[in-house]
Amino acid sequence: MPVIKTDNFDGNLDYGEQFELIYTIEALTAGNWVAFVSANTANPAAAREFSIQTSINTDTDGPPNVCGIAVESPTAAGMTRIQVAGRYATANVATSVANGDALVASAVEGRAQDADQLADGQDQMDYRHCGIVLDATDAATNLSIVRIIRHPHFA
């Protein structure tokens, strides 16, 4: 029986890549995880829209709402492309990750870590899992192949 492709779904639970054009309030580095910003004071005209910044697990507003990975490296605020679903080959990860680990934002800017490695007092249930490690072969260099978990905003 032939496999019928519909909406980037190949029949093996392998959703295709999805990209979005979103306003960033800061310079980004390709491969870094990004998160939604709750208030966009840098661009009030876009305040009604979602804006992004590099994710980091030390935000005072609570755990970052990670939404994807930067695929471009803009040097200033402005519109940029991020990948919000699918396989990404050079994602910024902690060196401690292993194949199959569920990822959340880490305390290192733009990096994701194994959810089991959260600091004492941080509950996994408070953090949105943003990806899964598919191949941790290059984790020693802080790069891994990951599957980005699609944020509900982009469903």
Side-chain angles (χ1 to χ4, degrees):
M1 173 184 273
V3 174
I4 300 171
K5 286 192 166 193
T6 306
D7 198 24
N8 289 329
F9 181 72
D10 70 2
N12 294 314
L13 297 178
D14 188 20
Y15 288 93
E17 297 170 346
Q18 180 181 349
F19 299 87
E20 297 289 338
L21 190 63
I22 299 182
Y23 184 86
T24 176
I25 64 168
E26 64 184 8
L28 300 175
T29 302
N32 279 359
W33 294 86
V34 296
F36 287 123
V37 177
S38 56
N40 183 357
T41 56
N43 183 14
R48 296 178 304 279
E49 304 293 329
F50 280 109
S51 299
I52 57 169
Q53 66 183 8
T54 305
S55 73
I56 187 165
N57 186 5
T58 56
D59 292 342
T60 55
D61 295 336
N65 195 357
V66 180
C67 61
I69 297 176
V71 296
E72 300 173 333
S73 296
T75 57
M79 298 302 287
T80 192
R81 257 177 33 128
I82 64 165
Q83 185 172 336
V84 297
R87 182 181 179 277
Y88 191 87
T90 54
N92 185 354
V93 295
T95 57
S96 59
V97 300
N99 293 351
D101 281 351
L103 298 172
V104 296
S106 82
V108 176
E109 189 172 83
R111 185 168 294 162
Q113 70 179 33
D114 176 10
D116 290 335
Q117 301 292 321
L118 287 169
D120 290 340
Q122 293 180 314
D123 186 350
Q124 274 196 49
M125 299 309 291
D126 291 337
Y127 289 78
R128 183 183 172 282
H129 290 131
C130 54
I132 299 170
V133 177
L134 299 179
D135 185 350
T137 304
D138 292 328
T141 62
N142 294 108
L143 300 175
S144 285
I145 299 172
V146 300
R147 168 77 51 201
I148 302 166
I149 298 172
R150 186 185 334 259
H151 189 282
H153 175 73
F154 301 114

